[in-house]
Amino acid sequence: MRLVLIGPPGAGKGTQAKVLSAKHNIPHVSTGDILRAKINDESSEIGKKAREYVENGKLVPDEVVVQMVEERIAEPDAAKGFILDGFPRNERQAVVLDEVLSDLNIGLDIVLYFKTSTKTIINRLSGRRSCPNCGAVYHVTNIPPKVEGKCDLCGADLIQRKDDKEDTIRKRIEVYEAETKPLLNYYSQKGLLREVSGDLNVDELSQVLEQLFLSLNVK
Ligand code: AP5
């Protein structure tokens, strides 16, 4: 199964990618997670370059992100499939992805578009809390941790992402509309696009996705 997840910030792409990754035993490749890990690593040159872009809701330069993804999908665990979350983010990245996959003699199975209302996006992003230690993601009301402010998995203090501030959220939505949304047309023309509702709760959406995979015979 080789999937791409597309949708606005806060649509729940990362949350579903984690569920799918565990269920289908394929890696979840999130460019946002990789960039945040590099930003937290003070010795990383990529992290130094990426910080200003990520914290201000702008796209990190294509060459940085493309190289990261190329390296990640060449790793052995990605041979049986992968879930790309947050990549590609513009047409240039999509074209390069096609070239990379074609060199490997493989292709994408589905591009899932998480169509999500603005009300949901704002609610999800303003309530998101993340674990800086293990990467688990919660929501203060939708998916609360067992103990307020603490990660269920490793006990670390949960944090709010720097780019989940109101003005940065607005910028991220603008960038999504201008740069990423045109990819819907790109993938629709290739017959790969499937739309699902990002407004559903986690279990409902997860069931919709499994039904979709069954109907398309994607394993
Ligand atoms: P990235 O991390 O990819 O951010 P994003 O696309 O804006 O997506 P989010 O992580 O905000 O949301 P999500 O859809 O994964 O939602 P989540 O599951 O967490 O990118 C960050 C930055 O990195 C970019 O702005 C850019 O600077 C840079 N970058 C990344 N990729 C790049 C690229 N390819 N090129 C250039 N730059 C790049 O859920 C959100 C909240 O809702 C959580 O609290 C969750 O618990 C809750 N929730 C999730 N699903 C549900 C549900 N179904 N019901 C109720 N609550 C839910």
Side-chain angles (χ1 to χ4, degrees), residues 18-49:
K18 287 190 178 82
V19 174
L20 290 171
S21 167
K23 226 181 232 171
H24 296 271
N25 196 23
I26 49 175
H28 167 204
V29 179
S30 157
T31 41
D33 287 350
I34 300 172
L35 286 166
R36 279 183 289 278
K38 292 196 184 294
I39 290 170
N40 287 336
D41 170 4
E42 282 172 12
S43 67
S44 165
E45 285 308 313
I46 292 183
K48 281 180 202 143
K49 252 191 238 170

Side-chain angles (χ1 to χ4, degrees), residues 1-22:
M1 186 190 278
R2 294 183 206 95
L3 303 181
V4 165
L5 309 187
I6 294 186
K13 305 179 296 294
T15 301
Q16 288 301 326
K18 287 190 178 82
V19 174
L20 290 171
S21 167

Side-chain angles (χ1 to χ4, degrees), residues 73-115:
I73 63 181
E75 285 180 30
D77 65 338
K80 57 185 177 209
F82 49 76
I83 304 161
L84 290 179
D85 162 17
F87 183 92
R89 207 96 161 194
N90 59 27
E91 192 160 331
R92 185 167 168 251
Q93 293 181 9
V95 170
V96 175
L97 177 63
D98 284 345
E99 288 165 4
V100 169
L101 296 180
S102 152
D103 287 348
L104 295 169
N105 272 321
I106 55 179
L108 295 172
D109 293 305
I110 315 182
V111 175
L112 288 173
Y113 166 42
F114 286 41
K115 187 174 184 197

Side-chain angles (χ1 to χ4, degrees), residues 65-75 87 96 100 104:
V65 185
V66 162
Q67 192 187 343
M68 278 174 9
V69 172
E70 257 189 284
E71 286 171 6
R72 182 63 188 88
I73 63 181
E75 285 180 30
F87 183 92
V96 175
V100 169
L104 295 169

